[in-house]
Amino acid sequence: MNRALTLDDGVLAGIALAAGFLVAFLSRGLLRWLAKHAKRTKWNGDDVVVDALRTMVPWAAIAGGAAAAAAVLPLTRAVHHTVNQCLTVLLIFAVTVSAARVVAGLVQSVTSSRSGVAGSATIFVNITRVLVLAIGFLVALQSLGISIAPMLTALGVGGLAVALALQDTLANLFAGIHILASKTVQPGDYIRLSSGEEGYVEDINWRQTTVRALSNNLVVIPNGQLAKTNMTNFMRPEQQLTILVQVGVAYDSDLEHVERVTTEVVAEVMTEITGAVPEHEPAVRFHTFGDSRIGFTVILGVGEFSDQYRIKHEFIKRLHRRFRDEGIRIPAPARNVSLQPGAAVVIPQQRTPDEAGDVFAAARLDN
């Protein structure tokens, strides 16, 4: 346009820009109301979508108002084109960020619901977020008239060099994806490695797995090492497990009485202690004629791995008190030593360091 800017042009542009801001303000209020109602539902996906729209819709309204204002102003073709490109890039940026938040939030919701725990596996969340942002960046470049074909070619050639330089990092990345895809380990599981590390899996990200030990310390394990080591998962195939407690009684004990008393204590612990399994059937199994006692194993049901310490604690206390009340002895190990008549008893004498050195020197001279 070659005509001069008039008052009517300024008024129309101001009205268009003000309308954009008004729509942005009203949309934020409407989306805030929708967010309150979305929190009342059981599905977390609607919360993620509404939260992302609260970012995208106001910016889209402002960009639309600015585009309408630029359309009514007598701008040159070059300036008008530049303004449209800037507004397009702004809109693409807002849509990309919102889409990344929606996709990442939905992936996090799905992984959390399938694992059944509060933690999340951030490896899938980070991968999806990076992919969406990369696609949005390429779309923005294409809208600016920049050809992305040479860039994709360069990325393909350079990706090989990067893959060779980051072998360990990529190995940990794919090991983490394999661990989660095979469902051998999920966030919230209690695991124990053959190297001795154990605890609850807090998170599995693109490089490492974070494990929280019972001492509340964090153990960081590379995904590649976790995939190659022998591991015990105490949460799979089910969370409930059984634990064994070894007990021994004297040889003169009535084993029927011992079994009946122990079974009663097990049933009492299973029904009264938090974390036990009430429907667990008490089991007592005699197995060993020891040096000073008859050994047997008591099998207890535990709802979750860390509950076993509390259940063992209460069971041992109650069983010891019940055995004492019932007159059942738990003998301490004893050993009888007999000496033959006339046998000499040699009591070794402790030497001082100087005496020991003299004896060693004399032995060398004799040799």
Side-chain angles (χ1 to χ4, degrees):
M1 296 183 180
N2 296 323
R3 64 183 181 84
L5 178 66
T6 63
L7 180 61
D8 294 338
D9 295 333
V11 172
L12 292 176
I15 292 175
L17 193 61
F21 278 99
L22 179 61
V23 172
F25 177 77
L26 294 177
S27 63
R28 285 189 63 87
L30 177 61
L31 292 172
R32 189 180 297 111
W33 177 80
L34 289 176
K36 293 180 180 178
H37 287 272
K39 291 181 180 179
R40 301 175 183 176
T41 61
K42 296 182 179 180
W43 186 49
N44 295 328
D46 52 0
D47 298 330
V48 176
V49 173
V50 173
D51 186 60
L53 290 177
R54 291 177 63 180
T55 302
M56 181 185 69
V57 174
W59 283 106
I62 294 174
V72 301
L73 292 177
L75 303 176
T76 62
R77 181 175 299 178
V79 174
H80 187 71
H81 179 70
T82 302
V83 171
N84 286 337
Q85 281 190 330
C86 293
L87 294 177
T88 302
V89 170
L90 176 63
L91 184 60
I92 293 174
F93 175 76
V95 173
T96 302
V97 172
S98 301
R101 294 176 62 179
V102 170
V103 175
L106 292 177
V107 170
Q108 183 176 4
S109 177
V110 171
T111 55
S112 299
S113 62
R114 288 190 176 183
S115 61
V117 294
S120 63
T122 59
I123 181 172
F124 290 142
V125 176
N126 292 334
I127 290 176
T128 53
R129 182 183 290 115
V130 170
L131 288 177
V132 174
L133 291 177
I135 293 173
F137 177 72
L138 294 178
V139 172
L141 291 180
Q142 189 71 27
S143 66
L144 293 175
I146 301 175
S147 178
I148 62 175
M151 182 180 299
L152 294 177
T153 304
L155 289 176
V157 176
L160 179 60
V162 173
L164 293 175
L166 300 177
Q167 291 184 18
D168 294 338
T169 301
L170 293 177
N172 290 325
L173 172 63
F174 289 109
I177 296 176
H178 170 71
I179 290 172
L180 288 174
S182 62
K183 296 184 179 180
T184 55
V185 179
Q186 295 289 330
D189 291 352
Y190 191 95
I191 63 173
R192 177 185 294 163
L193 305 184
S194 58
S195 55
E197 295 87 353
E198 63 178 270
Y200 290 97
V201 177
E202 287 286 304
D203 187 34
I204 303 176
N205 58 28
W206 61 274
R207 181 182 178 276
Q208 62 202 18
T209 298
T210 305
V211 176
R212 178 173 55 85
L214 293 180
S215 59
N216 211 29
N217 297 324
L218 293 180
V219 181
V220 179
I221 306 170
N223 292 332
Q225 179 182 345
L226 182 64
K228 293 185 294 184
T229 189
N230 295 330
M231 175 186 61
T232 303
N233 192 334
F234 292 95
M235 297 292 190
R236 301 186 181 275
E238 59 183 12
Q239 188 171 344
Q240 293 184 359
L241 67 154
T242 57
I243 58 175
L244 308 179
V245 179
Q246 305 299 327
V247 191
V249 294
Y251 273 92
D252 57 357
S253 302
D254 182 357
L255 297 187
E256 296 293 339
H257 184 210
V258 171
E259 183 177 5
R260 183 174 63 256
V261 170
T262 305
T263 301
E264 292 175 358
V265 174
V266 172
E268 178 184 330
V269 171
M270 291 296 98
T271 55
E272 295 181 4
I273 304 303
T274 304
V277 182
E279 60 273 13
H280 172 74
E281 182 179 355
V284 178
R285 299 292 182 264
F286 294 96
H287 56 75
T288 305
F289 288 101
D291 294 337
S292 59
R293 64 181 68 189
I294 297 177
F296 62 94
T297 300
V298 182
I299 304 176
L300 304 175
V302 179
E304 196 266 335
F305 182 84
S306 61
D307 295 330
Q308 64 174 309
Y309 303 103
R310 178 174 60 256
I311 294 172
K312 281 184 179 180
H313 170 76
E314 290 295 332
F315 172 72
I316 292 175
K317 287 197 308 180
R318 298 189 183 200
L319 185 65
H320 180 266
R321 181 171 62 249
R322 186 68 183 276
F323 276 6
R324 184 181 56 192
D325 296 340
E326 298 288 340
I328 300 174
R329 293 192 307 111
I330 304 178
R335 190 178 299 275
N336 296 327
V337 179
S338 60
L339 298 177
Q340 298 295 331
V345 179
V346 180
I347 302 177
Q349 296 180 355
Q350 184 177 3
R351 299 179 183 272
T352 63
D354 294 337
E355 292 175 346
D358 294 342
V359 172
F360 178 72
R364 294 187 59 184
L365 291 176
D366 292 340
N367 293 333

